[in-house]
Amino acid sequence: VASTGGKLQIGFQRRFDAGYQRARAAIRAGELGTVYSFLMVSCDRTPPPDAYIASSGGQFKDQFIHDFDITRWLLDDEVEQITATGSTRGFPTYEAMQDVGTSAAMVRMRQGTIGLMAALRHNEAGYDIHVEIHGGKDTIAIGIDPRTPWRSVEADAPSLAGPPYPSFHVRFADAY
């Protein structure tokens, strides 16, 4: 960019999603009270090609980067401590590329909020990005709608009506 005199802008689409914006407004307005914890889940429907895996920088850089960004944005706070792990279960070829197909991170924010994050590269049920935010007054969720690829085993649970999201292009179309 510098050598061409061009301009560069990096944007994370979740910041422009209506659900994430409503959640941020609720947190800032104090509607949840003290935010104690959160849970983020990021599941791709199908794994990317091996060529992408080999050049992506790893699941923590190419997939979790969205979770790390939105955490800081939603909570207006910085990560103070992080513990992370990953697995190549189902994707033994990822080990040679120094990557994982499933990972988890636990974060502690500077203000004390604790977060759990999970990322999967393969969830045939459908693309699934959702967040739960737990406060002293209320708990809210982002990304739970009729297209969320869940199936409850509880006898009285409602079934979800729509087909699952096939990709992030569809799920975040309005944000783009």
Side-chain angles (χ1 to χ4, degrees), residues 69-90:
D69 173 72
I70 205 64
T71 295
R72 296 171 63 237
W73 185 78
L74 280 171
L75 301 176
D76 195 25
D77 198 3
E78 296 294 330
V79 174
E80 178 178 77
Q81 183 179 34
I82 186 166
T83 302
T85 190
S87 171
T88 59
R89 183 171 186 186

Side-chain angles (χ1 to χ4, degrees), residues 52-73:
Y52 175 79
I53 297 296
S55 65
S56 74
Q59 190 174 38
F60 289 98
K61 267 190 178 176
D62 72 52
Q63 190 173 12
F64 255 138
I65 193 168
H66 296 279
D67 299 273
F68 296 146
D69 173 72
I70 205 64
T71 295
R72 296 171 63 237
W73 185 78

Side-chain angles (χ1 to χ4, degrees), residues 13-49:
Q13 81 275 15
R14 293 183 196 178
R15 291 182 181 211
F16 301 95
D17 178 76
Y20 284 91
Q21 290 180 350
R22 284 191 295 273
R24 184 177 192 221
I27 292 166
R28 287 184 164 208
E31 294 174 19
L32 279 68
T34 301
V35 175
Y36 295 117
S37 66
F38 63 90
L39 170 67
M40 292 187 176
V41 176
S42 299
C43 302
D44 286 340
R45 185 171 190 205
T46 57

Side-chain angles (χ1 to χ4, degrees), residues 14-174:
R14 293 183 196 178
R15 291 182 181 211
F16 301 95
D17 178 76
Y20 284 91
Q21 290 180 350
R22 284 191 295 273
R24 184 177 192 221
I27 292 166
R28 287 184 164 208
E31 294 174 19
L32 279 68
T34 301
V35 175
Y36 295 117
S37 66
F38 63 90
L39 170 67
M40 292 187 176
V41 176
S42 299
C43 302
D44 286 340
R45 185 171 190 205
T46 57
D50 282 354
Y52 175 79
I53 297 296
S55 65
S56 74
Q59 190 174 38
F60 289 98
K61 267 190 178 176
D62 72 52
Q63 190 173 12
F64 255 138
I65 193 168
H66 296 279
D67 299 273
F68 296 146
D69 173 72
I70 205 64
T71 295
R72 296 171 63 237
W73 185 78
L74 280 171
L75 301 176
D76 195 25
D77 198 3
E78 296 294 330
V79 174
E80 178 178 77
Q81 183 179 34
I82 186 166
T83 302
T85 190
S87 171
T88 59
R89 183 171 186 186
F91 300 94
T93 58
Y94 286 7
E95 189 169 353
M97 295 179 263
Q98 300 180 342
D99 201 0
V100 294
T102 304
S103 56
M106 181 174 68
V107 299
R108 176 183 159 84
M109 307 302 288
R110 285 186 184 159
Q111 295 177 14
T113 303
I114 300 294
L116 300 172
M117 303 173 179
L120 292 79
R121 292 204 187 273
H122 184 216
N123 181 34
E124 288 183 25
Y127 182 77
D128 179 12
I129 302 293
H130 68 271
V131 180
E132 297 173 21
I133 304 170
H134 313 105
K137 292 182 182 177
D138 199 4
T139 296
I140 59 174
I142 307 164
I144 308 299
D145 65 31
R147 296 188 74 180
T148 304
W150 287 1
R151 182 178 60 87
S152 176
V153 295
E154 301 300 329
D156 59 350
S159 60
L160 299 174
Y165 295 104
S167 68
F168 67 90
H169 296 290
V170 176
R171 164 59 180 90
F172 291 106
D174 290 343

